[in-house]
Amino acid sequence: MRTFSRRNFLQLTGLTATAVLGGPALAACSTPPLPGLAPTDTQADGSAFNPDLDLVLKATASEVALLPGSTTRVWTYQGSVVSGDPGAVQAIPGSYLGPIIRVRRGQKVRVTFTNDLPGSDQASIIHWHGLQVPAAMDGHPRDAVQPGQSFVYEFEVTDRAGTYWFHPHPHRLTAQQVIAGLAGLFIVSDDDADHLALPTGDYDLPLVIQDRVFDGDNQFAYGADMMTAMMGFLGNRLLVNGQPDLSLPVATRAYRLRMLNGSNARIYKLAWSDGTPLTVIGTDDGLLDAPIERPYVMLSPGERLEVWADLRDRAVGDELRLISQAFTGAEGVGSAGGMMGGGMMGGGMMG
């Protein structure tokens, strides 16, 4: 297989914070206040819960070098496998985000979450964004645990193959904790998706897109003022996979790009820099029945898209950038271009 030289890469530094935000209309991850049960080792029918995959996730503090000068304090999930497939927990290369949790439809999963965040006022809980799980396992704010405490999730994966994600969901602290770094992908596979022979391994690339503000000491700045609370947080610097200038070396072959808008309120209009159409193969609800091509795609907070990137005809020396174009908020609705995501009025802030 012919590979690109070191000068040839898929570049994401072209993502720019030029998208225009309108007021949020819907909460990106609202969970109804349904009564729940504390997790136990038995299922609703009284039988024992025997997980196929037993994991631990700990929310904790760390430091990373993102910009020249001082390191940046971040919060991160540390994950490991207690029993089951050792490859079920994977790091996002070079990132404080993650980890990626990979499961199969039909698996019974147990996740023991421990809150190791600094300070006594940072209760936390994990919400499995997009997954259909019992109410007691969905990470409702009422179930948030204090630092030093744990919560045990037990559920069967019933969703079809696709890209989902997990993040904190404590009352009034969700945005702050996500901005600090707590977010990871939850990827489901199944037999139907296996038959499609889509790119896997090094050719299955996560792209978590977030906007941030750095202060003069390279720390994440988050203002909890009234305007931010009403309109959502907007950063002035784009990070992809937690990195400010992400460039990925690629080969002359096809890739599967899993895009997540992990921002608090910013909406993106994503396109290839050279005008090549984007080939979309999946959305929040999993893989599409057939690929579709669009000149651009809209991605609201919390939304995911899967894109087929065919680089087999690219010449050595090519550079392909993923950019976020400026937009007014009304374009694409009902047109041939179309929006893949909810757009201005279909998205909302995550707070």
Side-chain angles (χ1 to χ4, degrees), residues 295-319:
Y296 63 86
V297 292
M298 306 294 292
L299 202 60
S300 297
E303 289 187 322
R304 290 85 62 208
L305 285 175
E306 295 190 29
V307 170
W308 171 277
D310 192 346
L311 308 180
R312 289 174 292 188
D313 294 331
R314 293 278 171 172
V316 172
D318 276 1
E319 175 184 302

Side-chain angles (χ1 to χ4, degrees), residues 114-276:
T114 299
N115 181 355
D116 189 39
L117 296 176
S120 59
D121 59 344
Q122 290 295 333
S124 196
I125 197 71
I126 293 177
H127 171 64
W128 310 100
H129 196 120
L131 294 175
Q132 302 298 312
V133 298
M137 300 291 109
D138 199 36
H140 194 278
R142 63 161 177 265
D143 294 321
V145 295
Q146 298 298 321
Q149 298 180 341
S150 298
F151 187 94
V152 180
Y153 298 88
E154 293 176 340
F155 55 87
E156 181 176 343
V157 179
T158 61
D159 297 272
R160 59 199 295 257
T163 303
Y164 308 88
W165 69 300
F166 58 95
H167 60 78
H169 209 216
H171 185 54
R172 295 186 180 274
L173 295 174
T174 297
Q176 175 186 345
Q177 293 186 4
V178 173
I179 286 170
L182 294 178
L185 292 176
F186 193 99
I187 294 177
V188 178
S189 60
D190 60 21
D191 292 343
D192 292 339
D194 291 347
H195 293 155
L196 299 177
L198 292 170
T200 60
D202 292 340
Y203 312 111
D204 184 354
L205 300 179
L207 300 178
V208 182
I209 305 169
Q210 300 170 310
D211 57 343
R212 294 290 183 268
V213 171
F214 288 88
D215 66 16
D217 194 36
N218 289 348
Q219 305 308 310
F220 292 144
Y222 173 70
D225 56 273
M226 182 60 70
M227 183 59 68
T228 298
M230 293 176 60
M231 300 299 295
F233 171 84
L234 292 177
N236 58 12
R237 181 129 193 192
L238 266 290
L239 305 183
V240 179
N241 292 351
Q243 298 184 39
D245 296 296
L246 178 65
S247 296
L248 300 174
V250 291
T252 51
R253 58 152 298 149
Y255 284 80
R256 180 180 188 173
L257 307 181
R258 298 179 187 262
M259 302 179 184
L260 161 66
N261 182 353
S263 302
N264 174 258
R266 189 174 295 282
I267 299 169
Y268 301 99
K269 178 184 177 182
L270 302 175
W272 290 124
S273 56
D274 64 355
T276 300

Side-chain angles (χ1 to χ4, degrees), residues 14-33:
L15 277 169
T16 57
T18 56
V20 180
L21 177 75
L26 300 173
C29 48
S30 57
T31 308

